[in-house]
Amino acid sequence: MNTSQTTMVTGGAGYIGSHITHELLKNGHQVVVFDNLSSGQRRLIPDGAYFTKGDVRDQTHLENVLKINRCTAVIHCAGLISVSESVNAPQKYYEHNVVGTAALLRAMQRHDIDRFIFSSSAAVYGNTEMELISENAPLKPSSPYAENKRDAERLIRHASRWGLASISLRYFNAAGADPAGRTGECHQPETHLIPLLIRKACAPDTEPFSVFGDDYPTDDGTCVRDYVHVSDLARAHVLALESLIRTPRSDVYNLGTGRGWSVREVIDTVIALTGRQLDTVVRPRRPGDPASLVADPTRAEIELQWTARASIEDIIRSAWRWEQKQHRYPAKRQIH
Ligand code: UFG
């Protein structure tokens, strides 16, 4: 392979990482996917990318792969992602998400690779009074997962001392699937709102859909989130990497739409688009869930020239098409 400009994508076989890999290839970048396939899937890696199975906690392996492929940048998406699981397994989360990031940074330092994009999360803000959250809002993580992201961001910032240029991208709620149907969400187990709703709509059963809490301080009492299409997120990574190559610095950006949707509103939109009825039941709050997380995306708009283009309807439609493709449900139904 031509290795003049090669980016390693850790977690590149995962949901967001595979979308980023497609976008990098589309924009002429060479890509090495480094993924332990614990939750990622090989079939989601685009043909044009080189693949190595490996774990980010293994510094020696990372160094070998970075060196052999003459990588010039890293986009770090690998990590454990369930807020609720992290509450029960904080040590495991720390090892994967913080220790893994530290090993990757050490490997990069050893080989003078000084461009780094990090998959961070809006979860770092935790419970906040702010209606729209800007990057300088206080960080008040409300779960071990969120603490991991804050701690990893800190390690990354400290690495500027040896010359690392970095951008941490704080994703709000990634959702939807590649419009071309090449990749999409398939977590095992699935815990996210939109894919779970889509599955319920595709294959209704007698169990009502669980709404985790309706006594939050929001308009209808359910949690509010800013859902951003995964392809929009992927595009932001390429813009961030290109910006970092032009202007080395240590920076952080929110990636969201600036519009929040409550759990009830998302349910109503899925019902409206699919024409399927969904019964719901209110269950207790899920530990670690903040009431509302909605981005102020102004900074990314101005400095990265990035704006989320997809609507909540686009997100749900693309997630529906992906789910249909995965399971080939007998009562196949098109939504427009
Ligand atoms: N929810 C339900 N029922 C379900 C599943 C989810 O009511 O069956 C609710 C949750 O309680 C939450 C909302 O839907 O209020 C969204 O939950 P998700 O699990 O889809 O997403 P989270 O907001 O918990 O977390 C996601 C990512 C995190 C990221 C965060 C940033 O998984 O990595 O968005 O906003 F940090």
Side-chain angles (χ1 to χ4, degrees):
M1 69 197 290
N2 171 3
T3 49
S4 56
Q5 277 288 335
T6 302
T7 301
M8 173 189 276
V9 180
T10 73
Y15 170 46
I16 299 175
S18 61
H19 285 83
I20 294 169
T21 301
H22 274 292
E23 192 66 20
L24 284 166
L25 292 170
K26 188 177 119 189
N27 285 276
H29 295 249
Q30 311 271 355
V31 186
V32 177
V33 166
F34 188 91
D35 195 304
N36 67 5
L37 299 183
S38 64
S39 58
Q41 295 183 25
R42 210 177 167 143
R43 71 184 172 107
L44 301 184
I45 303 171
D47 289 340
Y50 174 80
F51 170 63
T52 296
K53 186 172 176 192
D55 191 296
V56 285
R57 292 165 299 170
D58 184 346
Q59 188 184 328
T60 310
H61 191 185
L62 278 168
E63 284 192 34
N64 286 336
V65 177
L66 288 169
K67 196 167 114 192
I68 289 167
N69 293 288
R70 296 193 196 149
C71 294
T72 47
V74 174
I75 297 182
H76 181 33
C77 304
L80 301 177
I81 58 154
S82 163
V83 172
S84 51
E85 190 195 17
S86 78
V87 174
N88 299 319
Q91 187 171 331
K92 174 174 146 193
Y93 266 67
Y94 189 86
E95 281 163 12
H96 282 263
N97 294 350
V98 183
V99 177
T101 302
L104 177 57
L105 292 171
R106 276 195 303 271
M108 290 176 69
Q109 182 179 12
R110 296 253 317 207
H111 295 276
D112 289 325
I113 299 161
D114 60 0
R115 298 288 188 276
F116 190 71
I117 308 287
F118 179 55
S119 289
S120 188
S121 168
V124 295
Y125 297 115
N127 278 304
T128 163
E129 305 284 287
M130 298 170 91
E131 220 168 286
L132 291 183
I133 304 172
S134 64
E135 288 81 356
N136 47 20
L139 304 188
K140 294 189 281 183
S142 64
S143 66
Y145 164 80
E147 288 169 5
N148 294 166
K149 291 292 182 189
R150 178 203 55 194
D151 295 348
E153 277 193 18
R154 205 174 276 163
L155 284 174
I156 294 161
R157 251 194 332 274
H158 289 163
S160 63
R161 288 191 197 134
W162 58 259
L164 185 75
S166 68
I167 290 180
S168 291
L169 296 172
R170 293 179 180 157
Y171 311 157
F172 283 66
N173 284 54
D178 175 41
R182 298 166 298 182
T183 180
E185 199 160 8
C186 32
H187 297 120
Q188 291 289 351
E190 188 54 77
T191 60
H192 292 105
L193 179 66
I194 290 180
L196 287 176
L197 282 170
I198 298 283
R199 282 184 195 178
K200 210 48 146 187
C202 284
D205 56 24
T206 50
E207 275 288 301
F209 186 84
S210 298
V211 173
F212 297 135
D214 68 350
D215 57 351
Y216 284 95
T218 59
D219 285 349
D220 65 17
T222 65
C223 288
V224 170
R225 295 288 184 273
D226 182 342
Y227 295 92
V228 53
H229 197 288
V230 63
S231 299
D232 279 326
L233 288 185
R235 193 164 43 80
H237 287 73
V238 176
L239 291 171
L241 179 58
E242 291 172 350
S243 159
L244 205 55
I245 290 168
R246 279 192 308 274
T247 316
R249 61 196 187 279
S250 180
D251 226 328
V252 53
Y253 295 96
N254 283 341
L255 297 182
T257 68
R259 158 73 154 101
W261 297 83
S262 74
V263 172
R264 285 259 177 244
E265 287 178 314
V266 175
I267 293 172
D268 290 345
T269 311
V270 171
I271 292 172
L273 286 175
T274 64
R276 305 276 168 95
Q277 196 44 47
L278 286 169
D279 295 327
T280 60
V281 60
V282 177
R283 305 245 186 245
R285 291 180 177 199
R286 203 170 58 173
D289 273 350
S292 174
L293 286 171
V294 182
D296 174 351
T298 311
R299 201 154 168 217
E301 284 167 16
I302 295 172
E303 294 184 19
L304 300 179
Q305 285 78 52
W306 175 85
T307 312
R309 295 175 184 152
S311 65
I312 189 80
E313 288 84 6
D314 297 331
I315 288 173
I316 291 169
R317 281 192 203 101
S318 64
W320 170 271
R321 281 194 297 271
W322 172 252
E323 193 62 22
Q324 294 284 356
K325 190 174 168 193
Q326 297 314 290
H327 299 284
R328 305 188 196 288
Y329 291 104
K332 223 173 185 180
R333 185 192 156 105
Q334 294 292 326
I335 57 172
H336 301 285

